[in-house]
Structure formats: structure tokens, C-alpha cells
Amino acid sequence: MPFSDYKTALVTGASTGMGYAIAERLAREGLIVHGVGRNEEGLSKLADACGAIPHVVDVSDTAALTELVSGLEIDVLVNNAGVSRAGNILDANEFDIDEQIDVNLRAALQLARLTLPGMMERNRGHIVNITSIAGHYEFGGHTVYHATKAAMHTVSRQLRVDAYGKDIRVTEICPGRVETDIFARVLKVDPAEAYKRMYEDFECPKPSDIADAVAFAIAAPHYVNVGMIEIMPTLQVPGGLRTGTRTEFPSTRR
């Protein structure tokens, strides 16, 4: 569906990284963009850069989201906001679990609930969910993150079913390692240190590459739904198989 068929977009997690790049790209395509995030400074920069309308809102606050979208006709919803915590379920605390579910899953469901009925009524709309290869492949640790991203894969498929019979499209963008500042937050280190450890010796997609993928899906003809795009560095491969030995784990010997 040409961008000209849409008027308004809402992008969460728009104050930095992929969300910032997506919001900027959609604004460049002529959409009125509402950028949502917790970082006021980042949203102000976004507004100055492309004219996006900033909203300093925590997406886990459903009442605030409800107030925000009230009266708006959102044609394109990009659920991009996400958080992650290092460690597996053995290391997680109550906050780690609740925050990731609230931000990565619950907020996206609530925004779909709030915006999809209007899209159905107008018979136009596009929901883009930024998930992760963690929703499709298992790595060591990050159990809750994997769970929420796998759930969002199912949500993406289910929303297509919910919108059956209308010109509503749903796209899952599934990135691998992308050069953003997320690892500084996850690893709780200085951004320069995170860059050195996670990006310096690697060739990784940039946030603009993810924004290009979003734009590609939205710009497709109205009769084309791009269901999922998986984007990874060429030299990154997902998955893997490990089998422990009795030497490694002698305590498991019977």
C-alpha cells in the first residue's frame, strides 16, 4: 500500500536506536509520526530532526497509552519498545520478569487493542512488530526475553487472523544483532565498552537497515502482506546444538 494511503504512524521506543530510525524514516515518507519513549532528550532530538510529535510515556502505563491514542487515527503502529536483562531464569528477579513482559508483550497487545478497531473501521492499517531472532532460536540465557519475543511472533500471526477480511496488514521484523545501544543497558557497561565488545570487530546491520525493512513492508501494494523479515549480519548464524558429557557434568551421573 503506498505511503500516500496512510496519514499517521505511532512508533514506540522512538527515542533511540531502531525506533528513532524508523520514526525518522516514516516521517521522511510523509507520515505524521507520534514518537513514544521514556527519554525526553532523545525524543526532542527526533522532533527537531524530522518533525515527529514527541510523547514521553512509559509503554507499561496502559492508562497513559489509552489517553495518548484517544482521538488519534493511527494508520501505522510500530511496536518497537523493548527491554532485556542478562541471565537466565535462575538469575532473574521479580522485576526482571515483570518489566520484560510489560514492555515487550503487554504494551504491544494493549496498543493493538487500542488501535486495531479504528483500522478495521477505516479499512486500512499496518501493524509492525519488531521482535528478535531470540523469538525463534534458543541461546544461552535471556529466558524471559526469548519468551516475550516468541509470544510476539504468535501475536503477529494472530493479529492477521483477527483482522481477516479487511485491508489490515501485519509484519514481524525479526532482527539479529543490530548496532544499537541496547547492549550497554543489558550488560550495564559504558556505551564505548559495549561497542568494543559487541560491535567493533563485527559488521552488523544499522538501525537504518531495520527502518528500510519497515518501509519496504509498508510500501508494498495493498494486496501484499509481508509477514516476516529476518535480518541478521551476514556472518551471524542462529541456533546451534550442544551435548554435555559426563566429564563436564559428573554430578548428573547415576
Side-chain angles (χ1 to χ4, degrees):
M1 187 174 289
F3 273 95
S4 59
D5 290 345
Y6 295 134
K7 299 177 182 178
T8 305
L10 187 149
V11 181
T12 65
S15 59
T16 186
M18 292 185 292
Y20 186 105
I22 293 167
E24 192 173 40
R25 177 60 186 272
L26 297 186
R28 195 161 72 240
E29 296 289 350
L31 299 185
I32 299 170
V33 177
H34 294 267
V36 178
R38 292 182 295 180
N39 186 322
E40 185 174 4
E41 182 180 358
L43 291 176
S44 294
K45 290 180 180 178
L46 175 68
D48 291 340
C50 67
I53 302 169
H55 301 275
V56 182
V57 172
D58 187 330
V59 295
S60 65
D61 186 343
T62 303
L65 289 180
T66 303
E67 182 179 357
L68 168 62
V69 302
S70 177
L72 295 178
E73 291 188 355
I74 301 299
D75 295 318
V76 178
L77 168 64
V78 182
N79 286 312
N80 167 76
V83 294
S84 181
R85 293 286 179 267
N88 60 32
I89 199 68
L90 300 173
D91 306 315
N93 58 37
E94 181 179 354
F95 177 79
D96 292 338
I97 294 173
D98 288 347
E99 184 191 37
Q100 289 177 84
I101 291 174
D102 286 347
V103 174
N104 299 352
L105 176 59
R106 188 169 64 84
L109 283 168
Q110 295 289 5
L111 279 170
R113 176 183 66 84
L114 292 166
T115 60
L116 184 56
M119 294 179 184
M120 299 281 283
E121 183 179 345
R122 298 186 298 276
N123 195 34
R124 71 170 187 269
H126 202 137
I127 296 177
V128 180
N129 294 321
I130 309 298
T131 63
S132 168
I133 60 170
H136 302 270
Y137 309 97
E138 287 67 47
F139 317 138
H142 302 276
T143 305
V144 181
Y145 185 76
H146 280 259
T148 58
K149 293 303 182 178
M152 281 306 301
H153 170 65
T154 298
V155 168
S156 300
R157 299 293 178 136
Q158 189 62 42
L159 289 175
R160 287 270 290 136
V161 177
D162 294 344
Y164 176 70
K166 296 290 186 177
D167 275 348
I168 310 298
R169 299 180 298 170
V170 181
T171 299
E172 176 186 0
I173 304 292
C174 185
R177 187 179 298 189
V178 178
E179 194 173 307
T180 71
D181 60 357
I182 188 171
F183 285 108
R185 299 193 297 271
V186 172
L187 300 173
K188 297 180 180 179
V189 297
D190 181 82
E193 174 62 21
Y195 178 86
K196 182 177 181 180
R197 290 166 60 177
M198 304 305 297
Y199 301 119
E200 188 171 69
D201 293 327
F202 302 91
E203 290 182 315
C204 296
K206 306 295 191 291
S208 60
D209 296 311
I210 307 304
D212 287 343
V214 172
F216 169 79
I218 294 174
H222 74 92
Y223 53 83
V224 174
N225 183 87
V226 180
M228 187 177 82
I229 302 177
E230 187 176 275
I231 304 172
M232 289 184 287
T234 300
L235 296 180
Q236 181 183 42
V237 294
L241 180 66
R242 294 181 295 170
T243 303
T245 67
R246 292 300 187 188
T247 302
E248 289 178 288
F249 304 105
S251 62
T252 65
R253 188 184 301 274
R254 295 180 183 273

Coordinates of all heavy atoms in Angstrom, one line a residue, residues 55-147:
H55 N 6.1 12.1 22.6 CA 5.3 11.7 23.8 C 6.2 11.0 24.8 O 6.6 9.9 24.5 CB 4.1 10.8 23.3 CG 3.2 11.4 22.3 ND1 2.2 12.3 22.6 CD2 3.2 11.3 20.9 CE1 1.6 12.7 21.5 NE2 2.2 12.1 20.5
V56 N 6.4 11.6 25.9 CA 7.2 11.0 26.9 C 6.3 10.1 27.8 O 5.6 10.6 28.7 CB 7.9 12.0 27.8 CG1 8.8 11.3 28.9 CG2 8.8 13.0 27.0
V57 N 6.2 8.9 27.4 CA 5.3 7.9 28.0 C 6.0 6.6 28.2 O 6.7 6.1 27.3 CB 4.0 7.7 27.1 CG1 3.2 6.6 27.7 CG2 3.2 9.0 27.0
D58 N 5.8 6.0 29.4 CA 6.2 4.6 29.6 C 5.2 3.7 29.1 O 4.0 3.7 29.5 CB 6.4 4.4 31.1 CG 7.1 3.1 31.5 OD1 6.9 2.1 30.7 OD2 7.7 3.0 32.5
V59 N 5.6 2.8 28.1 CA 4.6 2.0 27.5 C 4.0 1.0 28.4 O 2.9 0.4 28.1 CB 5.2 1.3 26.2 CG1 5.6 2.2 25.2 CG2 6.3 0.4 26.6
S60 N 4.6 0.7 29.6 CA 3.9 -0.2 30.5 C 2.8 0.5 31.3 O 2.1 -0.2 32.0 CB 5.0 -0.7 31.5 OG 5.5 0.4 32.3
D61 N 2.6 1.8 31.1 CA 1.5 2.5 31.7 C 0.3 2.5 30.7 O 0.2 3.4 29.8 CB 1.9 4.0 32.0 CG 0.9 4.8 32.7 OD1 -0.3 4.4 32.8 OD2 1.3 5.8 33.3
T62 N -0.6 1.6 30.9 CA -1.7 1.4 30.0 C -2.7 2.6 30.0 O -3.2 3.0 28.9 CB -2.5 0.1 30.3 OG1 -1.6 -1.0 30.2 CG2 -3.7 -0.1 29.3
A63 N -2.9 3.2 31.1 CA -3.7 4.4 31.2 C -3.1 5.5 30.4 O -3.9 6.2 29.7 CB -3.9 4.8 32.7
A64 N -1.8 5.7 30.4 CA -1.2 6.8 29.6 C -1.3 6.5 28.2 O -1.5 7.4 27.3 CB 0.3 6.9 30.1
L65 N -1.1 5.2 27.8 CA -1.2 4.9 26.4 C -2.7 5.1 25.9 O -2.9 5.6 24.8 CB -0.9 3.4 26.1 CG 0.6 3.0 26.3 CD1 0.7 1.5 26.0 CD2 1.5 3.8 25.3
T66 N -3.6 4.8 26.7 CA -5.0 5.0 26.3 C -5.3 6.4 26.1 O -6.0 6.8 25.1 CB -6.0 4.4 27.4 OG1 -5.7 3.0 27.6 CG2 -7.4 4.5 27.0
E67 N -4.8 7.3 27.0 CA -5.0 8.7 26.8 C -4.3 9.2 25.6 O -4.9 10.1 24.9 CB -4.5 9.4 28.1 CG -4.7 10.9 28.1 CD -4.2 11.6 29.3 OE1 -3.7 10.9 30.2 OE2 -4.3 12.9 29.4
L68 N -3.1 8.7 25.3 CA -2.4 9.2 24.2 C -3.1 8.9 22.9 O -3.2 9.8 22.0 CB -1.0 8.4 24.2 CG -0.1 8.6 22.9 CD1 0.2 10.0 22.7 CD2 1.1 7.7 23.0
V69 N -3.6 7.7 22.7 CA -4.2 7.4 21.4 C -5.6 7.8 21.3 O -6.2 7.8 20.2 CB -4.1 5.8 21.1 CG1 -2.7 5.4 21.1 CG2 -5.0 5.1 22.1
S70 N -6.2 8.3 22.4 CA -7.6 8.7 22.3 C -7.8 9.9 21.3 O -7.1 10.9 21.4 CB -8.1 9.2 23.7 OG -9.4 9.7 23.7
G71 N -8.6 9.7 20.3 CA -8.8 10.8 19.4 C -7.9 10.7 18.2 O -8.1 11.5 17.2
L72 N -6.9 9.9 18.2 CA -5.9 9.8 17.1 C -6.4 8.6 16.1 O -6.9 7.6 16.6 CB -4.5 9.4 17.6 CG -3.8 10.5 18.4 CD1 -2.4 9.9 18.9 CD2 -3.7 11.8 17.7
E73 N -6.2 8.9 14.9 CA -6.4 7.8 13.9 C -5.1 7.3 13.4 O -4.4 7.9 12.6 CB -7.2 8.4 12.7 CG -8.6 8.7 12.9 CD -9.4 9.1 11.7 OE1 -8.8 9.1 10.6 OE2 -10.6 9.3 11.8
I74 N -4.7 6.2 14.0 CA -3.3 5.6 13.8 C -3.5 4.6 12.6 O -4.1 3.6 12.7 CB -2.8 4.9 15.0 CG1 -2.7 5.9 16.2 CG2 -1.4 4.3 14.7 CD1 -1.8 7.1 16.0
D75 N -2.8 4.9 11.5 CA -2.8 4.0 10.4 C -1.6 3.0 10.4 O -1.8 1.9 10.0 CB -2.6 4.8 9.1 CG -3.8 5.7 8.8 OD1 -5.0 5.3 9.0 OD2 -3.6 6.9 8.4
V76 N -0.5 3.4 11.0 CA 0.6 2.5 11.1 C 1.1 2.5 12.6 O 1.4 3.5 13.2 CB 1.8 3.0 10.2 CG1 3.0 2.1 10.4 CG2 1.4 3.1 8.8
L77 N 1.1 1.3 13.2 CA 1.6 1.1 14.6 C 2.8 0.3 14.5 O 2.8 -0.8 13.9 CB 0.5 0.4 15.4 CG 1.0 -0.1 16.8 CD1 1.4 1.0 17.7 CD2 -0.1 -1.0 17.4
V78 N 3.9 0.9 15.1 CA 5.2 0.1 15.1 C 5.5 -0.2 16.6 O 5.8 0.7 17.4 CB 6.3 0.9 14.5 CG1 7.6 0.1 14.5 CG2 6.0 1.3 13.0
N79 N 5.3 -1.4 17.0 CA 5.6 -1.8 18.4 C 7.1 -2.2 18.4 O 7.5 -3.3 18.0 CB 4.8 -3.1 18.7 CG 3.4 -2.7 19.1 OD1 3.1 -1.8 19.8 ND2 2.4 -3.4 18.5
N80 N 7.9 -1.2 18.8 CA 9.4 -1.4 18.8 C 10.0 -1.4 20.2 O 11.0 -2.0 20.4 CB 10.0 -0.2 18.0 CG 11.5 -0.2 18.2 OD1 12.3 -1.0 17.7 ND2 11.9 0.8 19.0
A81 N 9.3 -0.8 21.2 CA 9.9 -0.7 22.5 C 10.2 -2.1 23.1 O 9.4 -3.0 22.9 CB 8.9 0.1 23.4
G82 N 11.4 -2.2 23.7 CA 11.8 -3.5 24.2 C 12.8 -3.3 25.3 O 13.6 -2.4 25.2
V83 N 12.9 -4.2 26.2 CA 13.9 -4.3 27.2 C 14.4 -5.7 27.4 O 13.7 -6.7 27.0 CB 13.4 -3.8 28.6 CG1 13.1 -2.3 28.5 CG2 12.2 -4.6 29.1
S84 N 15.6 -5.9 27.8 CA 16.2 -7.2 28.1 C 17.0 -7.1 29.3 O 17.5 -6.1 29.7 CB 17.0 -7.6 26.9 OG 17.6 -8.9 27.1
R85 N 17.2 -8.3 29.9 CA 18.0 -8.4 31.1 C 18.9 -9.6 30.9 O 18.5 -10.7 30.4 CB 17.1 -8.7 32.4 CG 16.3 -7.4 32.8 CD 17.2 -6.3 33.4 NE 16.4 -5.2 33.7 CZ 16.2 -4.1 32.9 NH1 16.7 -4.1 31.7 NH2 15.5 -3.1 33.3
A86 N 20.2 -9.5 31.3 CA 21.1 -10.5 31.2 C 20.8 -11.7 32.2 O 20.1 -11.5 33.2 CB 22.5 -10.0 31.5
G87 N 21.1 -12.9 31.8 CA 20.9 -14.0 32.7 C 19.7 -14.8 32.3 O 18.8 -14.4 31.6
N88 N 19.7 -16.0 32.9 CA 18.5 -16.9 32.6 C 17.5 -16.9 33.8 O 17.6 -16.0 34.6 CB 19.0 -18.3 32.3 CG 19.8 -18.9 33.5 OD1 19.5 -18.6 34.6 ND2 20.7 -19.8 33.2
I89 N 16.6 -17.8 33.8 CA 15.5 -17.7 34.8 C 16.1 -17.9 36.2 O 15.5 -17.5 37.2 CB 14.4 -18.7 34.4 CG1 13.1 -18.4 35.2 CG2 14.9 -20.1 34.8 CD1 12.4 -17.1 34.7
L90 N 17.2 -18.6 36.3 CA 17.8 -18.8 37.6 C 18.4 -17.6 38.2 O 18.5 -17.5 39.4 CB 18.9 -19.9 37.5 CG 18.5 -21.3 37.0 CD1 19.7 -22.1 36.7 CD2 17.5 -21.9 38.0
D91 N 18.7 -16.6 37.3 CA 19.2 -15.3 37.8 C 18.2 -14.2 37.9 O 18.5 -13.2 38.5 CB 20.3 -14.8 36.8 CG 21.4 -15.9 36.6 OD1 21.9 -16.5 37.6 OD2 21.8 -16.1 35.4
A92 N 17.0 -14.4 37.4 CA 16.0 -13.4 37.3 C 15.4 -13.1 38.6 O 15.2 -14.0 39.4 CB 15.0 -13.8 36.2
N93 N 15.0 -11.8 38.8 CA 14.2 -11.5 39.9 C 12.8 -11.1 39.5 O 12.5 -11.1 38.3 CB 14.8 -10.4 40.8 CG 15.1 -9.1 39.9 OD1 14.3 -8.7 39.1 ND2 16.2 -8.4 40.2
E94 N 11.9 -10.8 40.4 CA 10.5 -10.4 40.1 C 10.4 -9.3 39.1 O 9.7 -9.3 38.1 CB 9.8 -10.1 41.4 CG 8.3 -9.8 41.1 CD 7.6 -9.5 42.4 OE1 8.2 -9.7 43.5 OE2 6.4 -9.1 42.4
F95 N 11.2 -8.2 39.3 CA 11.2 -7.1 38.4 C 11.6 -7.4 37.0 O 11.0 -7.0 36.1 CB 12.1 -5.9 39.0 CG 12.2 -4.7 38.1 CD1 11.1 -3.8 38.1 CD2 13.3 -4.5 37.3 CE1 11.2 -2.7 37.3 CE2 13.3 -3.4 36.5 CZ 12.3 -2.5 36.5
D96 N 12.7 -8.2 36.9 CA 13.2 -8.6 35.6 C 12.1 -9.2 34.7 O 11.9 -8.9 33.6 CB 14.4 -9.6 35.7 CG 15.6 -9.0 36.3 OD1 15.8 -7.7 36.2 OD2 16.5 -9.7 36.8
I97 N 11.4 -10.1 35.4 CA 10.3 -10.8 34.6 C 9.2 -9.9 34.3 O 8.7 -9.8 33.1 CB 9.8 -12.0 35.5 CG1 10.9 -13.1 35.6 CG2 8.6 -12.6 34.8 CD1 10.6 -14.2 36.6
D98 N 8.7 -9.2 35.3 CA 7.5 -8.3 35.1 C 7.8 -7.2 34.1 O 6.9 -6.9 33.2 CB 7.1 -7.7 36.4 CG 6.4 -8.7 37.3 OD1 6.1 -9.8 36.8 OD2 6.2 -8.4 38.5
E99 N 9.0 -6.6 34.1 CA 9.3 -5.5 33.2 C 9.3 -6.0 31.8 O 8.8 -5.3 30.9 CB 10.6 -4.8 33.6 CG 10.9 -3.6 32.7 CD 12.3 -3.1 32.9 OE1 13.2 -3.9 33.0 OE2 12.5 -1.8 32.8
Q100 N 10.0 -7.1 31.5 CA 10.1 -7.6 30.2 C 8.7 -8.0 29.6 O 8.4 -7.7 28.4 CB 11.1 -8.7 30.1 CG 12.5 -8.3 30.3 CD 13.5 -9.4 30.3 OE1 13.9 -9.9 29.2 NE2 13.8 -9.9 31.5
I101 N 7.9 -8.6 30.4 CA 6.6 -8.9 30.0 C 5.7 -7.7 29.7 O 5.0 -7.5 28.7 CB 5.9 -9.8 31.0 CG1 6.5 -11.2 31.0 CG2 4.4 -10.0 30.7 CD1 6.0 -12.1 32.1
D102 N 5.8 -6.7 30.6 CA 5.1 -5.5 30.5 C 5.5 -4.7 29.2 O 4.6 -4.2 28.5 CB 5.3 -4.6 31.7 CG 4.5 -5.1 32.9 OD1 3.7 -6.0 32.8 OD2 4.8 -4.6 34.1
V103 N 6.8 -4.5 29.0 CA 7.2 -3.7 27.9 C 7.2 -4.5 26.5 O 6.7 -3.9 25.5 CB 8.6 -3.2 28.2 CG1 9.2 -2.4 26.9 CG2 8.6 -2.3 29.4
N104 N 7.7 -5.7 26.5 CA 7.9 -6.4 25.3 C 6.6 -7.0 24.8 O 6.5 -7.2 23.6 CB 8.9 -7.5 25.5 CG 10.3 -7.0 25.9 OD1 10.5 -5.8 25.9 ND2 11.2 -7.9 26.2
L105 N 5.7 -7.3 25.7 CA 4.5 -8.1 25.3 C 3.2 -7.3 25.6 O 2.4 -7.0 24.7 CB 4.5 -9.5 25.9 CG 3.2 -10.3 25.7 CD1 3.0 -10.6 24.2 CD2 3.4 -11.6 26.4
R106 N 3.0 -7.0 26.8 CA 1.7 -6.4 27.3 C 1.4 -5.1 26.6 O 0.3 -4.8 26.1 CB 1.7 -6.3 28.8 CG 0.3 -5.9 29.3 CD 0.2 -6.0 30.8 NE 1.1 -5.1 31.5 CZ 0.8 -3.8 31.8 NH1 -0.4 -3.3 31.4 NH2 1.7 -3.1 32.4
A107 N 2.4 -4.2 26.5 CA 2.2 -2.9 25.9 C 1.8 -3.1 24.4 O 1.0 -2.3 23.9 CB 3.5 -2.1 26.0
A108 N 2.5 -4.0 23.7 CA 2.1 -4.2 22.3 C 0.7 -4.7 22.1 O 0.0 -4.3 21.2 CB 3.1 -5.2 21.7
L109 N 0.3 -5.6 23.0 CA -1.1 -6.1 23.0 C -2.1 -5.0 23.3 O -3.1 -4.9 22.6 CB -1.3 -7.2 24.0 CG -0.7 -8.6 23.6 CD1 -0.7 -9.5 24.8 CD2 -1.5 -9.2 22.4
Q110 N -1.8 -4.2 24.2 CA -2.7 -3.1 24.6 C -2.8 -2.1 23.4 O -3.9 -1.6 23.1 CB -2.2 -2.4 25.9 CG -2.2 -3.2 27.1 CD -3.7 -3.5 27.6 OE1 -4.6 -3.1 27.0 NE2 -3.8 -4.2 28.8
L111 N -1.7 -1.8 22.8 CA -1.7 -0.8 21.7 C -2.5 -1.4 20.5 O -3.2 -0.7 19.8 CB -0.3 -0.4 21.3 CG 0.3 0.7 22.2 CD1 1.8 0.9 21.9 CD2 -0.4 2.0 22.0
A112 N -2.3 -2.7 20.3 CA -3.1 -3.3 19.2 C -4.6 -3.2 19.5 O -5.4 -2.9 18.7 CB -2.6 -4.8 19.0
R113 N -4.9 -3.5 20.8 CA -6.3 -3.4 21.2 C -6.9 -2.0 21.0 O -8.0 -1.8 20.6 CB -6.4 -3.8 22.7 CG -7.8 -3.7 23.3 CD -7.8 -4.0 24.8 NE -7.1 -3.0 25.6 CZ -7.5 -1.9 26.0 NH1 -8.8 -1.5 25.7 NH2 -6.8 -1.1 26.8
L114 N -6.0 -1.0 21.3 CA -6.5 0.4 21.2 C -6.6 0.9 19.8 O -7.3 1.9 19.5 CB -5.6 1.3 22.0 CG -5.6 1.1 23.5 CD1 -4.4 1.7 24.2 CD2 -6.9 1.6 24.1
T115 N -5.8 0.4 18.9 CA -5.7 1.0 17.5 C -6.3 0.1 16.4 O -6.8 0.7 15.4 CB -4.2 1.2 17.1 OG1 -3.5 0.0 17.1 CG2 -3.5 2.2 18.1
L116 N -6.3 -1.2 16.6 CA -6.9 -2.0 15.5 C -8.3 -1.8 15.2 O -8.7 -1.8 14.0 CB -6.6 -3.5 15.9 CG -7.0 -4.5 14.8 CD1 -6.3 -4.2 13.5 CD2 -6.7 -6.0 15.3
P117 N -9.2 -1.5 16.2 CA -10.6 -1.3 15.8 C -10.8 -0.1 14.8 O -11.6 -0.2 13.9 CB -11.3 -1.0 17.2 CG -10.5 -1.8 18.1 CD -9.1 -1.7 17.6
G118 N -10.0 1.0 15.0 CA -10.1 2.1 14.1 C -9.6 1.7 12.7 O -10.1 2.2 11.7
M119 N -8.5 0.9 12.7 CA -8.0 0.5 11.4 C -9.1 -0.3 10.7 O -9.3 -0.2 9.5 CB -6.8 -0.3 11.6 CG -5.6 0.4 12.1 SD -4.1 -0.7 12.3 CE -2.9 0.3 13.1
M120 N -9.7 -1.2 11.4 CA -10.8 -2.0 10.8 C -11.9 -1.2 10.3 O -12.5 -1.4 9.2 CB -11.3 -3.0 11.9 CG -10.3 -4.0 12.4 SD -10.0 -5.4 11.3 CE -11.5 -6.4 11.6
E121 N -12.3 -0.2 11.0 CA -13.4 0.7 10.6 C -13.1 1.5 9.4 O -13.9 1.7 8.5 CB -13.8 1.7 11.8 CG -14.9 2.6 11.5 CD -15.3 3.5 12.7 OE1 -14.8 3.2 13.8 OE2 -16.0 4.5 12.4
R122 N -11.8 1.9 9.3 CA -11.4 2.7 8.1 C -10.9 1.8 7.0 O -10.6 2.3 5.9 CB -10.2 3.7 8.5 CG -10.6 4.7 9.5 CD -9.5 5.7 9.7 NE -8.3 5.1 10.3 CZ -8.0 4.9 11.6 NH1 -9.0 5.2 12.5 NH2 -6.9 4.3 12.0
N123 N -10.8 0.5 7.2 CA -10.4 -0.5 6.3 C -9.0 -0.2 5.7 O -8.7 -0.4 4.5 CB -11.4 -0.6 5.1 CG -11.1 -1.9 4.3 OD1 -10.7 -2.9 4.8 ND2 -11.3 -1.8 3.0
R124 N -8.1 0.3 6.6 CA -6.7 0.5 6.2 C -5.9 0.5 7.5 O -6.3 1.0 8.5 CB -6.5 1.8 5.4 CG -6.6 3.0 6.2 CD -6.2 4.3 5.5 NE -6.2 5.4 6.3 CZ -7.2 6.3 6.4 NH1 -8.3 6.1 5.8 NH2 -7.1 7.3 7.2
G125 N -4.7 -0.1 7.4 CA -3.8 -0.1 8.6 C -2.7 -1.1 8.4 O -2.8 -2.0 7.7
H126 N -1.7 -0.8 9.2 CA -0.5 -1.7 9.2 C 0.1 -1.8 10.6 O 0.4 -0.7 11.2 CB 0.5 -1.2 8.2 CG 1.5 -2.3 7.7 ND1 1.9 -2.4 6.4 CD2 2.1 -3.3 8.4 CE1 2.7 -3.4 6.3 NE2 2.9 -4.0 7.5
I127 N 0.2 -2.9 11.2 CA 0.9 -3.1 12.4 C 2.3 -3.8 12.2 O 2.3 -4.9 11.6 CB 0.1 -3.9 13.4 CG1 -1.2 -3.2 13.8 CG2 0.9 -4.2 14.7 CD1 -2.2 -4.0 14.7
V128 N 3.3 -3.2 12.7 CA 4.7 -3.7 12.5 C 5.2 -4.0 13.9 O 5.3 -3.1 14.8 CB 5.6 -2.7 11.8 CG1 7.0 -3.3 11.7 CG2 5.1 -2.3 10.5
N129 N 5.5 -5.3 14.2 CA 6.1 -5.7 15.4 C 7.6 -6.0 15.3 O 8.0 -6.8 14.5 CB 5.4 -6.9 16.0 CG 3.9 -6.7 16.3 OD1 3.6 -5.6 16.9 ND2 3.0 -7.6 16.0
I130 N 8.4 -5.3 16.0 CA 9.8 -5.5 16.0 C 10.1 -6.6 17.1 O 10.0 -6.3 18.3 CB 10.7 -4.2 16.3 CG1 10.2 -3.1 15.4 CG2 12.2 -4.5 16.1 CD1 10.4 -3.3 13.9
T131 N 10.5 -7.8 16.6 CA 10.7 -8.9 17.6 C 12.2 -9.1 17.6 O 13.0 -8.2 17.9 CB 9.9 -10.1 17.2 OG1 10.4 -10.6 15.9 CG2 8.4 -9.8 17.1
S132 N 12.6 -10.3 17.5 CA 14.0 -10.7 17.6 C 14.2 -12.1 17.1 O 13.3 -12.9 17.2 CB 14.5 -10.5 19.0 OG 15.8 -11.1 19.2
I133 N 15.4 -12.5 16.6 CA 15.7 -13.9 16.4 C 15.6 -14.7 17.7 O 15.5 -15.9 17.6 CB 17.0 -14.1 15.7 CG1 18.2 -13.5 16.5 CG2 17.0 -13.4 14.3 CD1 19.6 -13.9 16.0
A134 N 15.7 -14.0 18.8 CA 15.5 -14.7 20.1 C 14.1 -15.3 20.2 O 13.9 -16.2 21.1 CB 15.8 -13.8 21.3
G135 N 13.2 -14.9 19.4 CA 11.9 -15.4 19.5 C 11.7 -16.7 18.7 O 10.7 -17.4 18.7
H136 N 12.8 -17.0 17.9 CA 12.7 -18.2 17.0 C 13.9 -19.2 17.3 O 13.8 -20.4 16.9 CB 12.8 -17.8 15.6 CG 11.8 -16.8 15.2 ND1 10.6 -17.2 14.7 CD2 11.7 -15.5 15.3 CE1 9.8 -16.2 14.4 NE2 10.4 -15.1 14.8
Y137 N 14.9 -18.8 17.9 CA 16.1 -19.6 18.2 C 16.5 -19.5 19.7 O 16.3 -18.4 20.3 CB 17.3 -19.2 17.4 CG 17.0 -19.1 15.9 CD1 16.7 -17.9 15.3 CD2 17.0 -20.2 15.1 CE1 16.4 -17.8 13.9 CE2 16.7 -20.1 13.7 CZ 16.4 -18.9 13.2 OH 16.1 -18.8 11.8
E138 N 16.9 -20.6 20.3 CA 17.3 -20.5 21.7 C 18.8 -20.3 21.8 O 19.6 -21.0 21.2 CB 16.9 -21.8 22.4 CG 15.4 -22.0 22.6 CD 14.6 -22.1 21.3 OE1 15.0 -22.9 20.4 OE2 13.6 -21.4 21.2
F139 N 19.1 -19.3 22.7 CA 20.5 -19.1 23.0 C 20.7 -19.4 24.5 O 19.7 -19.6 25.2 CB 21.0 -17.7 22.7 CG 20.5 -17.1 21.4 CD1 20.0 -15.8 21.3 CD2 20.5 -17.9 20.3 CE1 19.6 -15.3 20.1 CE2 20.1 -17.4 19.1 CZ 19.6 -16.1 19.0
G140 N 21.9 -19.3 25.0 CA 22.1 -19.4 26.5 C 21.6 -18.1 27.2 O 22.0 -17.0 26.9
G141 N 20.7 -18.3 28.2 CA 20.3 -17.2 29.0 C 19.1 -16.4 28.3 O 18.6 -16.8 27.3
H142 N 18.8 -15.3 29.0 CA 17.8 -14.4 28.5 C 16.4 -15.1 28.3 O 15.7 -14.9 27.3 CB 18.2 -13.7 27.1 CG 19.5 -12.9 27.2 ND1 19.5 -11.6 27.6 CD2 20.8 -13.3 27.0 CE1 20.8 -11.2 27.6 NE2 21.6 -12.2 27.2
T143 N 16.1 -15.9 29.2 CA 14.9 -16.8 29.1 C 13.7 -15.9 28.9 O 12.8 -16.2 28.1 CB 14.8 -17.7 30.4 OG1 16.0 -18.4 30.5 CG2 13.6 -18.6 30.2
V144 N 13.5 -14.9 29.7 CA 12.2 -14.1 29.7 C 12.2 -13.3 28.4 O 11.1 -13.2 27.8 CB 12.1 -13.2 30.9 CG1 10.8 -12.4 30.9 CG2 12.2 -14.0 32.2
Y145 N 13.3 -12.8 27.9 CA 13.3 -12.1 26.7 C 12.9 -13.0 25.5 O 12.1 -12.6 24.7 CB 14.8 -11.6 26.4 CG 14.9 -10.7 25.2 CD1 14.4 -9.4 25.2 CD2 15.5 -11.2 24.1 CE1 14.6 -8.6 24.1 CE2 15.6 -10.4 22.9 CZ 15.2 -9.1 23.0 OH 15.3 -8.3 21.9
H146 N 13.5 -14.2 25.5 CA 13.1 -15.2 24.5 C 11.6 -15.5 24.5 O 11.0 -15.5 23.5 CB 13.9 -16.5 24.7 CG 15.3 -16.5 24.2 ND1 15.7 -17.1 23.0 CD2 16.4 -16.0 24.8 CE1 17.0 -16.9 22.9 NE2 17.4 -16.3 23.9
A147 N 11.1 -15.6 25.7 CA 9.7 -15.9 25.9 C 8.8 -14.8 25.3 O 7.8 -15.1 24.6 CB 9.3 -16.2 27.3

